Amino acid sequence: MKKRLSVLGVVLLSLFLFSYSCQDHQVPDEPPLLSTHELFYDSLHGKCSFTTELEVLNIGTIPVTEYGVVFSAVGGGDGPFTDTPVVGTHSKVIFDMPFSTGIKTKVGPQICTSNNYYRAYAILNNGTVVYAQTLHFTNL
């Protein structure tokens, strides 16, 4: 009887440890990683047209609801001219979903300017905005 209880105890302990080890573990939230690419004139699409480009290096673990490039320009766009444009204040070019890794290109903005700051952004489903590095375009 004593041997039977000992075996039963080992079995119960093993089942407890096994069930604990199979529980889901929380993966830490990881925001996406973006890179802003050079902006260039796009003469094929009309006067004052630019082509914007960004790269999604890592999609992270938090879902993205929108992504693109936000810019601040002298003589055009929304918001005051600044070297740190932000979503909600400045003009943006929204890229098409789905959000996936790789280089993304989109024609826009239509703005006649020779001086602007711009950067890639992603809006996460929790409302947080993630930005890439800011670049400066001048054509003097």
Side-chain angles (χ1 to χ4, degrees):
M1 180 78 174
K2 199 174 200 181
K3 187 175 183 182
R4 202 172 184 179
L5 285 177
S6 176
V7 171
L8 181 62
V10 169
V11 168
L12 290 175
L13 180 62
S14 297
L15 287 173
F16 172 76
L17 292 175
F18 179 73
S19 69
Y20 179 74
S21 68
C22 292
Q23 289 180 355
D24 287 339
H25 298 283
Q26 291 289 354
V27 176
D29 288 341
E30 179 185 341
L33 182 59
L34 305 169
S35 177
T36 308
H37 285 200
E38 293 294 324
L39 183 72
F40 57 91
Y41 272 118
D42 186 0
S43 60
L44 295 175
H45 291 94
K47 183 181 179 192
C48 303
S49 181
F50 292 93
T51 294
T52 54
E53 188 174 274
L54 63 84
E55 185 171 2
V56 178
L57 301 168
N58 184 331
I59 62 169
T61 60
I62 307 168
V64 170
T65 59
E66 177 184 302
Y67 73 107
V69 174
V70 61
F71 66 95
S72 172
V74 171
D78 297 328
F81 182 64
T82 178
D83 61 356
T84 54
V86 294
V87 170
T89 302
H90 294 93
S91 298
K92 58 187 178 177
V93 176
I94 301 171
F95 284 56
D96 297 329
M97 295 300 265
F99 184 72
S100 59
T101 57
I103 295 174
K104 315 296 181 182
T105 303
K106 186 156 184 156
V107 174
Q110 285 282 334
I111 185 169
C112 291
T113 182
S114 60
N115 189 9
N116 84 48
Y117 289 93
Y118 60 99
R119 60 184 173 168
Y121 74 90
I123 301 174
L124 310 181
N125 74 342
N126 64 9
T128 304
V129 181
V130 175
Y131 294 99
Q133 80 280 18
T134 302
L135 298 180
H136 185 213
F137 174 85
T138 56
N139 186 16
L140 303 173

